[in-house]
Amino acid sequence: MNIDYNDFIMPSIVIASFCIGYVMKHWLPTDDRIIPTVLGLFGIVSGFILFGFSYEGFVKGLVSGLAAVGGNQIYKQLNK
């Protein structure tokens, strides 16, 4: 079974999620622990908007929203 992860990640959702996470981190008084949850939910809603209310929209949205969190963490850990 050949799984290509590029089929699950939508760059537009990743960029929008990263921007929302940046705003939440730096300009809103939120706890850092809720940012991944908010971005995951934002990704799901965005996936439903882009792909319709389907399993594909759910998975692509969730993976894309959480990819922004993972990309941020990779960047932070490499710069330590």
Coordinates of all heavy atoms in Angstrom, one line a residue:
M1 N 0.8 -1.2 0.0 CA 0.0 0.0 0.0 C 0.9 1.2 0.0 O 1.7 1.4 0.9 CB -0.9 0.0 1.2 CG -1.8 1.1 1.3 SD -2.9 0.8 2.7 CE -4.2 2.0 2.3
N2 N 0.7 2.1 -1.0 CA 1.5 3.3 -1.1 C 0.8 4.5 -0.7 O -0.2 4.9 -1.3 CB 1.9 3.4 -2.6 CG 3.0 4.5 -2.8 OD1 3.5 5.0 -1.8 ND2 3.2 4.8 -4.0
I3 N 1.2 5.1 0.5 CA 0.5 6.2 1.0 C 1.4 7.5 0.7 O 2.6 7.5 1.1 CB 0.3 6.1 2.5 CG1 -0.7 4.9 2.8 CG2 -0.3 7.4 3.1 CD1 -0.9 4.7 4.2
D4 N 0.8 8.4 0.0 CA 1.5 9.7 -0.2 C 1.0 10.7 0.7 O -0.2 11.1 0.6 CB 1.4 10.1 -1.7 CG 2.2 11.3 -2.1 OD1 3.2 11.6 -1.3 OD2 2.0 11.8 -3.1
Y5 N 1.8 11.2 1.6 CA 1.3 12.2 2.6 C 0.9 13.5 2.0 O 0.2 14.3 2.6 CB 2.3 12.4 3.7 CG 2.5 11.1 4.5 CD1 3.6 10.4 4.4 CD2 1.5 10.7 5.4 CE1 3.8 9.2 5.1 CE2 1.6 9.5 6.1 CZ 2.8 8.8 5.9 OH 2.9 7.6 6.6
N6 N 1.4 13.8 0.8 CA 1.0 15.1 0.1 C -0.4 15.1 -0.3 O -1.0 16.1 -0.6 CB 1.9 15.3 -1.1 CG 3.4 15.6 -0.7 OD1 3.6 16.2 0.3 ND2 4.3 15.2 -1.5
D7 N -1.0 13.9 -0.4 CA -2.5 13.8 -0.7 C -3.3 14.3 0.5 O -4.5 14.6 0.3 CB -2.9 12.4 -1.1 CG -2.2 12.0 -2.4 OD1 -1.9 12.9 -3.2 OD2 -2.1 10.8 -2.6
F8 N -2.8 14.3 1.7 CA -3.6 14.6 2.8 C -3.3 16.1 3.3 O -4.1 16.6 4.2 CB -3.2 13.7 4.0 CG -3.6 12.3 3.7 CD1 -2.7 11.3 3.4 CD2 -5.0 11.9 3.8 CE1 -3.1 10.0 3.2 CE2 -5.4 10.6 3.5 CZ -4.4 9.7 3.2
I9 N -2.3 16.7 2.9 CA -2.0 18.1 3.4 C -2.3 19.1 2.3 O -1.9 19.1 1.2 CB -0.5 18.2 3.7 CG1 -0.2 17.2 4.9 CG2 -0.1 19.6 4.1 CD1 1.3 17.2 5.3
M10 N -3.2 20.1 2.7 CA -3.5 21.2 1.9 C -2.7 22.4 2.3 O -2.9 22.9 3.4 CB -5.0 21.5 2.0 CG -5.9 20.4 1.5 SD -5.7 20.0 -0.3 CE -6.0 21.6 -1.0
P11 N -1.9 22.9 1.4 CA -1.0 24.1 1.8 C -1.8 25.3 2.3 O -1.4 26.0 3.2 CB -0.2 24.4 0.6 CG -0.2 23.1 -0.2 CD -1.5 22.5 0.1
S12 N -3.0 25.6 1.6 CA -3.8 26.7 2.0 C -4.3 26.6 3.4 O -4.3 27.6 4.2 CB -4.9 26.9 1.0 OG -5.8 25.8 1.0
I13 N -4.7 25.4 3.9 CA -5.2 25.3 5.2 C -4.0 25.3 6.2 O -4.1 25.9 7.3 CB -5.9 23.9 5.4 CG1 -7.2 23.9 4.5 CG2 -6.3 23.7 6.8 CD1 -7.9 22.6 4.5
V14 N -2.8 24.8 5.8 CA -1.7 24.9 6.7 C -1.2 26.3 6.9 O -1.0 26.7 8.1 CB -0.5 24.0 6.1 CG1 0.8 24.2 6.9 CG2 -0.9 22.6 6.0
I15 N -1.2 27.1 5.9 CA -0.8 28.5 6.0 C -1.8 29.3 6.9 O -1.4 30.1 7.8 CB -0.6 29.1 4.6 CG1 0.6 28.5 4.0 CG2 -0.4 30.7 4.7 CD1 0.8 28.8 2.5
A16 N -3.1 29.1 6.6 CA -4.1 29.8 7.4 C -4.0 29.4 8.9 O -4.2 30.2 9.8 CB -5.5 29.5 6.8
S17 N -3.8 28.1 9.1 CA -3.7 27.6 10.5 C -2.5 28.2 11.2 O -2.6 28.5 12.4 CB -3.7 26.1 10.5 OG -4.8 25.5 10.0
F18 N -1.4 28.2 10.5 CA -0.2 28.8 11.1 C -0.4 30.3 11.5 O 0.0 30.7 12.5 CB 1.0 28.7 10.1 CG 2.3 29.2 10.7 CD1 3.0 28.4 11.6 CD2 2.7 30.4 10.3 CE1 4.2 28.9 12.1 CE2 3.9 30.9 10.9 CZ 4.6 30.1 11.8
C19 N -1.1 31.0 10.6 CA -1.3 32.4 10.9 C -2.3 32.6 12.1 O -2.0 33.4 13.0 CB -2.0 33.1 9.7 SG -0.8 33.3 8.3
I20 N -3.3 31.7 12.2 CA -4.2 31.8 13.3 C -3.5 31.4 14.6 O -3.6 32.1 15.6 CB -5.4 30.9 13.1 CG1 -6.3 31.5 12.0 CG2 -6.2 30.7 14.4 CD1 -7.4 30.6 11.5
G21 N -2.6 30.4 14.5 CA -1.8 30.0 15.7 C -0.9 31.1 16.1 O -0.7 31.3 17.3
Y22 N -0.3 31.8 15.2 CA 0.6 32.9 15.5 C -0.1 34.0 16.2 O 0.4 34.6 17.2 CB 1.3 33.4 14.2 CG 2.3 34.5 14.5 CD1 3.6 34.1 14.8 CD2 2.0 35.8 14.4 CE1 4.6 35.1 15.1 CE2 2.9 36.8 14.6 CZ 4.2 36.5 15.0 OH 5.2 37.4 15.2
V23 N -1.3 34.4 15.7 CA -2.1 35.4 16.3 C -2.5 35.0 17.7 O -2.4 35.8 18.7 CB -3.3 35.8 15.5 CG1 -4.3 36.6 16.2 CG2 -2.9 36.5 14.2
M24 N -2.9 33.7 17.9 CA -3.3 33.3 19.2 C -2.1 33.3 20.2 O -2.3 33.6 21.4 CB -3.9 31.9 19.1 CG -5.2 31.8 18.5 SD -5.8 30.1 18.4 CE -6.1 29.8 20.1
K25 N -1.0 33.0 19.7 CA 0.2 32.9 20.6 C 0.7 34.3 21.0 O 1.0 34.5 22.2 CB 1.3 32.1 19.9 CG 2.6 32.1 20.6 CD 2.7 31.2 21.7 CE 4.1 31.1 22.3 NZ 4.1 30.3 23.5
H26 N 0.7 35.2 20.1 CA 1.4 36.5 20.3 C 0.4 37.6 20.7 O 0.9 38.6 21.3 CB 2.3 36.9 19.1 CG 3.4 35.9 18.9 ND1 4.5 35.9 19.8 CD2 3.6 35.0 18.0 CE1 5.3 35.0 19.4 NE2 4.8 34.4 18.3
W27 N -0.8 37.6 20.3 CA -1.7 38.7 20.5 C -2.9 38.5 21.3 O -3.6 39.4 21.7 CB -2.1 39.3 19.1 CG -0.9 40.0 18.4 CD1 0.1 40.5 19.0 CD2 -0.8 40.0 17.0 NE1 1.0 41.0 18.0 CE2 0.5 40.7 16.8 CE3 -1.5 39.6 15.9 CZ2 1.0 41.0 15.5 CZ3 -1.0 39.9 14.6 CH2 0.2 40.6 14.5
L28 N -3.3 37.2 21.5 CA -4.4 36.9 22.3 C -4.0 36.3 23.6 O -3.1 35.5 23.7 CB -5.4 36.0 21.6 CG -6.0 36.5 20.3 CD1 -6.8 35.4 19.6 CD2 -6.8 37.7 20.5
P29 N -4.7 36.6 24.7 CA -4.4 36.0 26.0 C -4.9 34.5 26.1 O -5.9 34.3 26.9 CB -5.0 36.9 27.0 CG -6.2 37.5 26.3 CD -5.8 37.5 24.8
T30 N -4.3 33.6 25.4 CA -4.8 32.2 25.4 C -3.7 31.3 26.0 O -2.5 31.7 26.0 CB -5.1 31.7 24.0 OG1 -4.0 31.8 23.2 CG2 -6.3 32.5 23.4
D31 N -4.1 30.2 26.5 CA -3.2 29.2 27.0 C -2.6 28.4 25.8 O -3.3 28.1 24.9 CB -4.0 28.3 28.0 CG -3.0 27.3 28.7 OD1 -1.8 27.5 28.7 OD2 -3.5 26.3 29.3
D32 N -1.3 28.2 25.9 CA -0.7 27.5 24.7 C -1.2 26.1 24.5 O -1.1 25.6 23.4 CB 0.8 27.4 25.0 CG 1.5 28.8 24.9 OD1 0.9 29.7 24.4 OD2 2.6 28.9 25.4
R33 N -1.8 25.5 25.5 CA -2.3 24.1 25.4 C -3.5 24.0 24.5 O -3.8 22.9 24.0 CB -2.6 23.5 26.7 CG -1.3 23.3 27.6 CD -1.6 22.7 28.9 NE -2.3 23.7 29.7 CZ -2.9 23.5 30.9 NH1 -2.8 22.4 31.4 NH2 -3.5 24.5 31.5
I34 N -4.3 25.1 24.3 CA -5.5 25.0 23.5 C -5.2 25.3 22.0 O -6.1 25.0 21.2 CB -6.6 25.9 24.0 CG1 -6.2 27.3 23.9 CG2 -6.9 25.5 25.4 CD1 -7.4 28.2 24.0
I35 N -4.0 25.8 21.7 CA -3.8 26.1 20.3 C -3.8 24.9 19.3 O -4.5 25.0 18.3 CB -2.4 26.9 20.2 CG1 -2.5 28.2 20.9 CG2 -2.0 27.1 18.7 CD1 -1.2 29.0 20.9
P36 N -3.3 23.8 19.6 CA -3.4 22.6 18.7 C -4.9 22.2 18.6 O -5.3 21.8 17.4 CB -2.6 21.5 19.4 CG -1.6 22.2 20.2 CD -2.3 23.5 20.7
T37 N -5.7 22.3 19.6 CA -7.1 21.9 19.5 C -7.8 22.9 18.6 O -8.6 22.4 17.7 CB -7.7 21.9 20.9 OG1 -7.0 21.0 21.8 CG2 -9.2 21.4 20.8
V38 N -7.6 24.1 18.8 CA -8.3 25.2 17.9 C -7.8 25.0 16.5 O -8.7 25.1 15.6 CB -7.9 26.6 18.5 CG1 -8.4 27.6 17.5 CG2 -8.6 26.8 19.8
L39 N -6.6 24.8 16.2 CA -6.1 24.6 14.9 C -6.6 23.3 14.2 O -6.9 23.3 13.0 CB -4.6 24.7 14.8 CG -4.0 26.0 15.2 CD1 -2.5 26.0 15.0 CD2 -4.6 27.2 14.4
G40 N -6.7 22.3 15.0 CA -7.3 21.1 14.5 C -8.8 21.2 14.1 O -9.2 20.8 13.0
L41 N -9.5 21.9 14.9 CA -10.9 22.2 14.6 C -11.1 23.1 13.5 O -12.0 23.0 12.6 CB -11.6 22.8 15.9 CG -11.8 21.8 17.0 CD1 -12.4 22.5 18.2 CD2 -12.7 20.7 16.6
F42 N -10.2 24.2 13.4 CA -10.2 25.1 12.2 C -9.9 24.3 10.9 O -10.6 24.5 9.9 CB -9.2 26.2 12.4 CG -9.0 27.0 11.2 CD1 -10.0 28.0 10.9 CD2 -7.9 26.9 10.4 CE1 -9.8 28.7 9.7 CE2 -7.8 27.6 9.2 CZ -8.7 28.6 8.9
G43 N -9.0 23.4 11.0 CA -8.6 22.5 9.8 C -9.8 21.7 9.4 O -10.1 21.6 8.2
I44 N -10.5 21.1 10.4 CA -11.7 20.3 10.0 C -12.8 21.1 9.4 O -13.3 20.7 8.3 CB -12.2 19.6 11.3 CG1 -11.2 18.5 11.8 CG2 -13.6 18.9 11.0 CD1 -11.6 18.0 13.2
V45 N -13.1 22.3 9.9 CA -14.1 23.1 9.3 C -13.6 23.6 7.9 O -14.5 23.6 7.0 CB -14.4 24.4 10.2 CG1 -15.2 25.4 9.5 CG2 -15.0 23.9 11.5
S46 N -12.4 23.9 7.8 CA -11.9 24.3 6.5 C -11.9 23.2 5.5 O -12.3 23.4 4.3 CB -10.4 24.8 6.6 OG -10.4 25.9 7.4
G47 N -11.6 22.0 5.9 CA -11.7 20.8 5.0 C -13.1 20.5 4.6 O -13.4 20.2 3.4
F48 N -14.1 20.7 5.5 CA -15.5 20.6 5.1 C -15.9 21.6 4.1 O -16.7 21.3 3.2 CB -16.4 20.6 6.4 CG -16.4 19.4 7.2 CD1 -16.7 19.4 8.6 CD2 -16.0 18.1 6.7 CE1 -16.7 18.3 9.3 CE2 -16.0 17.0 7.5 CZ -16.4 17.1 8.8
I49 N -15.4 22.8 4.3 CA -15.8 23.9 3.3 C -15.2 23.6 2.0 O -15.9 23.8 0.9 CB -15.3 25.3 3.9 CG1 -16.1 25.7 5.1 CG2 -15.4 26.3 2.8 CD1 -15.6 26.9 5.8
L50 N -13.9 23.2 1.9 CA -13.3 22.9 0.6 C -13.7 21.6 -0.1 O -13.8 21.6 -1.3 CB -11.8 22.9 0.8 CG -11.1 24.2 1.2 CD1 -9.6 24.0 1.5 CD2 -11.3 25.3 0.1
F51 N -13.9 20.6 0.7 CA -14.2 19.3 0.1 C -15.6 18.7 0.4 O -15.9 17.6 0.0 CB -13.2 18.2 0.6 CG -11.8 18.6 0.3 CD1 -10.9 19.1 1.2 CD2 -11.3 18.5 -1.0 CE1 -9.6 19.5 0.9 CE2 -10.0 18.8 -1.3 CZ -9.2 19.3 -0.3
G52 N -16.4 19.5 1.0 CA -17.8 19.0 1.4 C -17.7 18.2 2.6 O -16.7 17.8 3.2
F53 N -18.9 17.9 3.1 CA -19.0 17.2 4.4 C -18.8 15.7 4.1 O -19.7 14.9 3.8 CB -20.4 17.4 5.0 CG -20.5 16.9 6.4 CD1 -19.9 17.6 7.4 CD2 -21.2 15.7 6.7 CE1 -20.0 17.2 8.7 CE2 -21.3 15.3 8.0 CZ -20.7 16.0 9.0
S54 N -17.5 15.3 4.2 CA -17.1 13.9 3.8 C -15.9 13.5 4.7 O -15.3 14.3 5.4 CB -16.7 13.8 2.4 OG -15.6 14.6 2.1
Y55 N -15.6 12.3 4.6 CA -14.5 11.7 5.3 C -13.2 12.4 4.8 O -12.3 12.7 5.6 CB -14.4 10.2 5.2 CG -13.3 9.6 5.9 CD1 -13.2 9.5 7.3 CD2 -12.2 9.1 5.2 CE1 -12.2 8.9 8.0 CE2 -11.1 8.5 5.9 CZ -11.1 8.4 7.2 OH -10.1 7.8 7.9
E56 N -13.1 12.6 3.5 CA -11.9 13.2 2.9 C -11.7 14.6 3.4 O -10.6 15.0 3.7 CB -12.1 13.2 1.4 CG -11.0 13.9 0.7 CD -11.2 14.0 -0.8 OE1 -12.3 13.8 -1.3 OE2 -10.2 14.4 -1.5
G57 N -12.8 15.4 3.5 CA -12.7 16.7 4.0 C -12.2 16.7 5.5 O -11.4 17.6 5.9
F58 N -12.8 15.8 6.3 CA -12.4 15.7 7.7 C -10.9 15.4 7.8 O -10.2 16.1 8.6 CB -13.2 14.6 8.4 CG -12.8 14.4 9.8 CD1 -13.3 15.2 10.8 CD2 -12.0 13.3 10.2 CE1 -13.0 15.0 12.1 CE2 -11.7 13.1 11.5 CZ -12.2 13.9 12.5
V59 N -10.4 14.4 7.1 CA -9.0 13.9 7.3 C -8.1 15.0 6.7 O -7.1 15.3 7.4 CB -8.8 12.6 6.6 CG1 -7.3 12.2 6.5 CG2 -9.6 11.5 7.3
K60 N -8.3 15.5 5.5 CA -7.4 16.5 5.0 C -7.4 17.8 5.8 O -6.3 18.3 6.0 CB -7.8 16.8 3.5 CG -7.5 15.8 2.5 CD -7.8 16.2 1.1 CE -7.3 15.2 0.1 NZ -7.5 15.6 -1.2
G61 N -8.5 18.2 6.3 CA -8.6 19.3 7.2 C -7.8 19.1 8.5 O -7.0 20.0 8.9
L62 N -8.1 18.0 9.2 CA -7.4 17.8 10.4 C -5.9 17.6 10.3 O -5.2 18.2 11.0 CB -8.0 16.5 11.1 CG -7.4 16.1 12.4 CD1 -7.7 17.2 13.5 CD2 -8.0 14.7 12.9
V63 N -5.5 16.9 9.3 CA -4.0 16.7 9.1 C -3.4 18.0 8.7 O -2.3 18.3 9.2 CB -3.8 15.6 8.0 CG1 -2.3 15.6 7.6 CG2 -4.2 14.3 8.5
S64 N -4.0 18.8 7.9 CA -3.5 20.1 7.6 C -3.4 21.1 8.7 O -2.4 21.8 8.9 CB -4.3 20.7 6.4 OG -4.2 19.9 5.3
G65 N -4.4 21.1 9.5 CA -4.4 22.0 10.7 C -3.4 21.6 11.7 O -2.7 22.5 12.3
L66 N -3.2 20.3 11.9 CA -2.2 19.9 12.9 C -0.8 19.9 12.3 O 0.2 19.9 13.0 CB -2.5 18.5 13.4 CG -3.8 18.4 14.2 CD1 -4.1 16.9 14.6 CD2 -3.7 19.3 15.4
A67 N -0.6 19.9 10.9 CA 0.7 20.1 10.3 C 1.3 21.4 10.6 O 2.5 21.6 10.7 CB 0.6 19.9 8.8
A68 N 0.4 22.4 10.8 CA 0.9 23.8 11.1 C 1.5 23.7 12.5 O 2.6 24.4 12.8 CB -0.2 24.8 11.1
V69 N 0.9 23.0 13.5 CA 1.4 22.9 14.8 C 2.8 22.1 14.8 O 3.7 22.5 15.4 CB 0.4 22.2 15.7 CG1 1.0 22.0 17.1 CG2 -0.9 22.9 15.8
G70 N 2.8 21.0 14.0 CA 4.0 20.3 13.9 C 5.2 21.0 13.3 O 6.3 20.9 13.7
G71 N 4.9 21.8 12.2 CA 5.9 22.6 11.6 C 6.4 23.7 12.5 O 7.6 23.9 12.5
N72 N 5.6 24.3 13.3 CA 6.0 25.3 14.3 C 6.9 24.6 15.3 O 8.0 25.2 15.7 CB 4.8 25.9 14.9 CG 5.2 27.0 15.9 OD1 6.4 27.3 16.1 ND2 4.2 27.7 16.5
Q73 N 6.6 23.4 15.8 CA 7.4 22.8 16.8 C 8.7 22.3 16.3 O 9.7 22.4 17.0 CB 6.6 21.6 17.4 CG 5.5 22.0 18.3 CD 5.9 22.8 19.5 OE1 6.9 22.5 20.2 NE2 5.3 24.0 19.6
I74 N 8.8 21.9 15.0 CA 10.0 21.5 14.4 C 10.9 22.7 14.3 O 12.1 22.6 14.7 CB 9.8 20.8 13.0 CG1 9.2 19.5 13.2 CG2 11.1 20.8 12.3 CD1 8.7 18.9 11.9
Y75 N 10.4 23.8 13.9 CA 11.2 25.1 13.8 C 11.7 25.5 15.2 O 12.9 25.8 15.3 CB 10.3 26.2 13.2 CG 11.0 27.5 13.1 CD1 12.0 27.7 12.2 CD2 10.7 28.5 14.0 CE1 12.6 29.0 12.1 CE2 11.3 29.7 14.0 CZ 12.3 30.0 13.0 OH 12.9 31.2 13.0
K76 N 10.9 25.4 16.2 CA 11.3 25.9 17.5 C 12.4 24.9 18.1 O 13.3 25.4 18.7 CB 10.1 25.9 18.5 CG 9.2 27.1 18.3 CD 8.0 27.0 19.2 CE 8.3 26.9 20.6 NZ 7.1 26.9 21.5
Q77 N 12.2 23.6 17.9 CA 13.2 22.7 18.4 C 14.5 22.8 17.7 O 15.6 22.5 18.3 CB 12.6 21.3 18.4 CG 11.4 21.0 19.2 CD 11.7 21.3 20.7 OE1 12.7 20.9 21.2 NE2 10.7 21.9 21.4
L78 N 14.5 23.0 16.4 CA 15.8 23.1 15.7 C 16.6 24.4 16.0 O 17.8 24.5 15.9 CB 15.5 23.1 14.2 CG 15.1 21.7 13.6 CD1 14.8 21.8 12.2 CD2 16.2 20.7 13.9
N79 N 15.9 25.4 16.5 CA 16.5 26.7 16.8 C 16.9 26.8 18.3 O 17.4 27.9 18.7 CB 15.6 27.9 16.5 CG 15.6 28.1 15.0 OD1 16.5 27.8 14.3 ND2 14.5 28.7 14.5
K80 N 16.7 25.8 19.0 CA 17.1 25.8 20.4 C 18.6 25.7 20.6 O 19.3 25.0 19.9 CB 16.5 24.6 21.2 CG 15.2 25.1 21.9 CD 14.8 24.0 22.8 CE 13.6 24.5 23.6 NZ 13.1 23.6 24.5

